[in-house]
Amino acid sequence: MSSEKLDGLGYCETLFAALAEKLTDVAYVQDVDESLKARGIAPTFPETRFCKGCVLPIVDVITTAYLRSKAEASQDAIRASLRCEGFQTLSQYYEFNNSMSGYIGSPWNRDKTLPSKSGDSQHTGANPDFCVRFNGAKSLRVVGEVKYLPNRLTSAAGVQQTHRELLHYLSIQTSSHSDWAHDFGFGITYCAKGDSARGAELVMDYWQSDKIAIAYFHA
């Protein structure tokens, strides 16, 4: 018997609202970044600090609440569905609390595909920043990608790159070693230059055609 797919658009809108509430506050984002960097955590990788320090905790909280509400899922079942790049080191980036379930593994698909996510002729694996692969009577399967642009106030190209990479991930239907395959994509494109508050918009230009929503933060 096939699962009932949960409302992907509703999930995207809920996640976007939570991200916008926190990430439009530039001082908050900068404080997280500076604190992690001062502790020597990913000192040369600002996108990693942003993704793990600011984005992934919110994804966990929202996914946990959403699946508890919509699928009556247990914390263990939710945790089994949450994957992110570098999950082994998350405790260095933020404190776990009871509103979270935690990430259990990597989203990586090691099978080589052509073209790569950049659109070139290299055979590469697929390694999104995070994903949810929840199965049961109801299912939620989303692949996520984060782009952090420290030297940009705005970036239409950044949004397009996020879309292109998510589209690549969604085009891959199987994996020889994992439960890969996703129903929709959610991206975050964050332009971080300067100290002014960020505007936030949920870009839905690609939803009808590709099932991709992108949270775009810009000055």
Side-chain angles (χ1 to χ4, degrees):
M1 182 181 296
S2 61
S3 298
E4 174 191 347
K5 293 181 181 180
L6 291 171
D7 177 18
L9 179 56
Y11 173 83
C12 291
E13 291 173 339
T14 302
L15 179 54
F16 169 73
L19 290 166
E21 182 178 359
K22 295 291 284 188
L23 303 186
T24 51
D25 182 350
V26 171
Y28 166 76
V29 175
Q30 291 176 343
D31 285 348
V32 171
D33 181 71
E34 291 168 5
S35 174
L36 292 171
K37 192 173 182 180
R39 290 160 50 204
I41 297 173
T44 59
F45 297 98
E47 185 170 275
T48 298
R49 298 193 299 270
F50 174 72
C51 181
K52 290 186 174 182
C54 295
V55 173
L56 292 182
I58 298 172
V59 172
D60 189 345
V61 169
I62 294 305
T63 303
T64 295
Y66 196 82
L67 289 175
R68 283 175 176 169
S69 172
K70 303 297 184 181
E72 299 182 349
S74 69
Q75 188 175 43
D76 286 346
I78 298 169
R79 183 170 183 264
S81 76
L82 282 164
R83 322 287 172 82
C84 73
E85 188 175 9
F87 71 98
Q88 304 95 328
T89 62
L90 286 179
S91 62
Q92 299 176 17
Y93 290 82
Y94 62 89
E95 292 186 6
F96 184 86
N97 62 51
N98 289 335
S99 65
M100 301 173 178
S101 296
Y103 295 81
I104 199 170
S106 169
W108 193 20
N109 185 342
R110 295 190 298 272
D111 297 345
K112 304 299 183 182
T113 60
L114 183 70
S116 71
K117 70 178 184 179
S118 300
D120 59 32
S121 58
Q122 295 185 20
H123 287 77
T124 62
N127 196 15
D129 289 311
F130 66 90
C131 67
V132 183
R133 298 175 189 163
F134 180 81
N135 296 310
K138 297 181 179 181
S139 68
L140 183 73
R141 300 184 65 87
V142 53
V143 62
E145 185 71 10
V146 177
K147 292 293 170 218
Y148 180 78
L149 307 174
N151 299 315
R152 300 301 300 270
L153 294 171
T154 64
S155 182
V159 173
Q160 292 165 1
Q161 181 183 4
T162 306
H163 167 251
R164 182 169 61 249
E165 295 187 11
L166 286 169
L167 191 62
H168 172 70
Y169 297 142
L170 289 171
S171 73
I172 302 170
Q173 296 299 312
T174 61
S175 168
S176 64
H177 59 87
S178 73
D179 60 340
W180 181 276
H182 308 91
D183 294 323
F184 61 98
F186 187 90
I188 299 100
T189 303
Y190 194 91
C191 299
K193 184 178 180 180
D195 298 326
S196 61
R198 300 297 95 162
E201 59 182 289
L202 184 60
V203 178
M204 298 300 298
D205 298 2
Y206 314 110
W207 185 258
Q208 290 299 323
S209 58
D210 303 325
K211 289 295 183 287
I212 289 171
I214 298 173
Y216 176 37
F217 295 87
H218 53 85

